[in-house]
Amino acid sequence: MTLGKQAKVLSDNQQKAVMAFISANRLAQRNTVMFLLSVDAGLRAKEVASLEWSMITNADGSLADVIRLQDRAAKGSSGGIVYMSKRLIDAINVYAPSQWKSGTIIKSQNGKAMSAQVVTNWFFILYHKLGFDGCSSHSGRRTAITRWARKISSVGGSLRDVQALARHSSLQMTQRYIEVSEDACRLVVG
């Protein structure tokens, strides 16, 4: 993917606008979880569509603090442990009581699993309604990876840790996801 064709990263204000828009519409609980799986957990559309309750719950049925993303739900064989943010855990806890907690987490209005294409289309329509040109289902993933890259050194980590979080096989791929911050470049130079 060339730089000009990459999905845009969402700013903090855009994320707040999405959350406000979602909360004012039907299926707010499900849609909040969908959005946060993308922007906080960095899941791809296929992974959002394929994620099952068994991958986020413990043996006793309680919510885990990680996603155990199985290869069958991931791109290629890129499954693994995905850490969940506090706001994602909170959103799932609000959403879960109204669900059967079996099968896929994200279901259509008629209770059936969504395809990756339907999830991709949902994000496209959402961003289009908000006027976010250049944003797609991959914007959340790029946003998450960029945020992780900017914060990782403050907790003693490195880009290799971001690569692990992104579940990329190469560091070069991870680097392609990270948006350059002109402000940070300007500040570091002085």
Side-chain angles (χ1 to χ4, degrees), residues 4-150:
K5 295 190 181 208
Q6 284 183 301
K8 288 190 179 176
V9 171
L10 298 165
S11 70
D12 289 342
N13 286 338
Q14 286 176 313
Q15 291 177 57
K16 288 175 188 171
V18 170
M19 294 292 284
F21 181 82
I22 287 171
S23 69
N25 287 286
R26 288 183 335 112
L27 305 171
Q29 294 174 350
R30 181 205 69 184
N31 294 346
T32 298
V33 171
M34 283 179 67
F35 178 67
L36 294 178
L37 285 169
S38 173
V39 79
D40 280 9
L43 296 188
R44 300 168 177 97
K46 175 198 186 323
E47 296 164 345
V48 170
S50 303
L51 189 63
E52 297 175 4
W53 286 104
S54 61
M55 296 178 200
I56 66 165
T57 53
N58 298 313
D60 64 1
S62 64
L63 184 63
D65 61 352
V66 297
I67 298 169
R68 292 176 304 279
L69 188 66
Q70 296 177 11
D71 283 347
R72 65 183 161 81
K75 178 182 177 185
S77 58
S78 65
I81 298 298
V82 178
Y83 297 93
M84 291 196 280
S85 68
K86 182 181 178 336
R87 72 177 180 167
L88 175 55
I89 291 170
D90 291 347
I92 292 171
N93 277 323
V94 168
Y95 174 62
S98 66
Q99 301 302 306
W100 285 102
K101 294 188 188 171
S102 67
T104 59
I105 295 171
I106 304 301
K107 294 180 173 65
S108 65
Q109 292 178 49
N110 64 10
K112 296 187 179 183
M114 289 186 178
S115 69
Q117 187 60 57
V118 169
V119 172
T120 298
N121 294 346
W122 180 86
F123 278 105
F124 177 81
I125 291 166
L126 171 70
Y127 296 138
H128 180 74
K129 284 180 179 178
L130 290 166
F132 296 169
D133 292 333
C135 292
S136 72
S137 61
H138 226 57
S139 290
R141 183 164 170 77
R142 282 202 68 219
T143 301
I145 293 169
T146 296
R147 183 177 56 253
W148 299 335
R150 291 182 180 162

